[in-house]
Amino acid sequence: MSPLAQALQVSLQSQDRDGTFYYRCELEPSWTVGAVPQGGYSLGVIVEACIRHQSDSSHPDPIHVSAQFLRAAHFGAGQVQVKRLKSGKTFTNLLAELVQLGSTKITAHLIFGDLSPSQPGQGQKVLAPPSPYARRVPLYSHPSTVSYDAVKPPWARKMDIQMSVDAVLLSHNDPRSPTRTTAESVGGGGTEWGAWWELLQKDDKLTASSMPFFCDSISNMPALLPESEPGSACGKHRWYATIAMTVEFKARIPSSLKHSTRTVGVYCESRFQNDPEGRHNERVEVWTAPSEIGQGHVVEGWRDHQYCIAVADQMALMLPVETNVRLGSKGSAKL
């Protein structure tokens, strides 16, 4: 089993006269959900190809990606096709597609720029602690005070990762929670979920291209709803197929000793579920972590040193597992 950072790697194959670059990739079976590569992992391969494409430019960092998942990908060889649409002073716009067996699986528009921190005297426009308006890491526990969960979710059992779910956030989904809405409520509703995720292999590491994977490493709304709700998964194993996803990269991957290089905090909130196929939205935040799970110790003010690396929004469907198996064996099957 390859570390995630290695499983995302690509290599340049060729270049067309129209400016399209072709990168070879290999989607590994250890990073699949059932028979289909995890959507965030597949999108991460596209991001990695674009990072390679922009590596020698003045815009080396991914800023935003908007992707549509046209067909189910499958593990094995693939190709990422990258073309520059526009390059300006601040941003570069790219078009990229993941192709397997001559069929486009994912199409994405990406914006690249420079995420270097502003230097003193340059007029910083960043909202961060200690500002009372700055958002803090939304998980309730320090990772050093928790331990690995005894059981991983079914979709993650083949992956060399481990998690610790935030029990307080999970309790917000209880039917008796004060967060439940009534006829007099203003806003509110939906579900919440959060966890510390850790890459287990010591030679693995967080990368910009791994952020879509963590943005997709969540417990979806139907799985959190009680069986009394019509949109509930009712305890059954379902496939939550990603149809569209956007990721905004807020900052570079941490390099400070105040942050783990293999652990992130993931927070997810979902507000709506509709037809067809239990279509639901997921809004995700990926945060730095001060330590690995069960390692280190709590330092006063640790929350002020953590920052959000990426935020994501996705639209997903609730489908039978049999659909996952069927589509995963058909390279050209449509979702």
Side-chain angles (χ1 to χ4, degrees):
M1 179 185 297
S2 298
L4 179 58
Q6 181 179 330
L8 289 164
Q9 290 302 302
V10 301
S11 58
L12 179 63
Q13 281 183 308
S14 61
Q15 174 186 359
D16 271 353
R17 290 183 177 180
D18 68 353
T20 302
F21 286 71
Y22 299 89
Y23 294 85
R24 186 186 185 281
C25 64
E26 186 79 20
L27 300 183
E28 299 197 5
S30 54
W31 298 99
T32 58
V33 176
V36 177
Q38 194 228 38
Y41 165 57
S42 300
L43 181 55
V45 171
I46 291 179
V47 173
E48 178 64 27
C50 292
I51 290 174
R52 289 284 300 273
H53 184 73
Q54 290 292 114
S55 60
D56 294 328
S57 74
S58 58
H59 299 150
D61 300 308
I63 301 289
H64 188 273
V65 54
S66 177
Q68 293 189 8
F69 294 70
L70 307 180
R71 301 172 179 84
H74 56 87
F75 64 83
Q79 184 183 74
V80 180
Q81 302 175 3
V82 181
K83 186 174 183 178
R84 183 174 299 163
L85 300 178
K86 184 182 78 72
S87 186
K89 181 179 180 181
T90 306
F91 298 123
T92 293
N93 298 79
L94 302 176
L95 173 65
E97 295 182 341
L98 173 63
V99 178
Q100 290 182 301
L101 300 177
S103 177
T104 301
K105 306 296 186 177
I106 304 172
T107 182
H109 284 263
L110 300 95
I111 301 173
F112 271 68
D114 186 353
L115 288 177
S116 301
S118 300
Q119 298 300 315
Q122 289 184 335
Q124 291 187 336
K125 301 183 179 78
V126 177
L127 185 61
S131 168
Y133 290 92
R135 182 165 172 80
R136 266 65 171 186
V137 57
L139 275 66
Y140 282 80
S141 300
H142 189 284
S144 69
T145 64
V146 297
S147 57
Y148 297 148
D149 289 352
V151 179
K152 289 196 291 188
W155 60 264
R157 289 174 186 166
K158 292 186 292 185
M159 303 175 184
D160 213 0
I161 54 176
Q162 192 52 272
M163 69 187 297
S164 178
V165 173
D166 192 298
V168 176
L169 289 174
L170 202 59
S171 71
H172 292 176
N173 305 311
D174 191 277
R176 296 158 295 183
S177 170
T179 60
R180 299 282 66 79
T181 56
T182 68
E184 304 302 320
S185 298
V186 178
T191 59
E192 283 185 289
W193 183 88
W196 296 109
W197 277 109
E198 182 178 319
L199 298 167
L200 292 180
Q201 295 195 39
K202 300 298 183 183
D203 58 342
D204 210 346
K205 62 180 181 179
L206 302 172
T207 62
S209 57
S210 69
M211 289 302 103
F213 168 81
F214 288 108
C215 289
D216 201 22
S217 297
I218 56 175
S219 187
N220 290 66
M221 187 183 208
L224 297 172
L225 292 173
E227 293 187 13
S228 58
E229 291 296 319
S232 171
C234 297
K236 297 180 181 178
H237 181 31
R238 306 282 189 170
W239 178 39
Y240 301 105
T242 302
I243 303 301
M245 177 186 284
T246 64
V247 181
E248 182 183 358
F249 298 81
K250 294 293 187 180
R252 287 178 176 170
I253 300 299
S255 58
S256 165
L257 295 178
K258 295 179 181 178
H259 305 106
S260 169
T261 59
R262 293 187 291 115
T263 306
V264 291
V266 175
Y267 170 82
C268 176
E269 61 179 7
S270 189
R271 294 288 180 256
F272 304 99
Q273 187 169 339
N274 306 89
D275 293 324
E277 304 291 356
R279 176 173 55 98
H280 54 284
N281 75 299
E282 304 286 350
R283 183 186 179 278
V284 182
E285 301 171 13
V286 180
W287 287 75
T288 59
S291 70
E292 278 75 51
I293 297 172
Q295 303 294 319
H297 59 278
V298 179
V299 176
E300 184 177 357
W302 67 274
R303 290 183 182 276
D304 275 1
H305 297 293
Q306 308 313 310
Y307 61 88
C308 183
I309 308 172
V311 296
D313 285 279
Q314 73 163 278
M315 181 179 78
L317 305 182
M318 178 173 61
L319 301 174
V321 174
E322 293 76 16
T323 304
N324 173 289
V325 175
R326 176 172 56 84
L327 294 182
S329 62
K330 295 181 180 181
S332 61
K334 296 181 180 179
L335 290 177

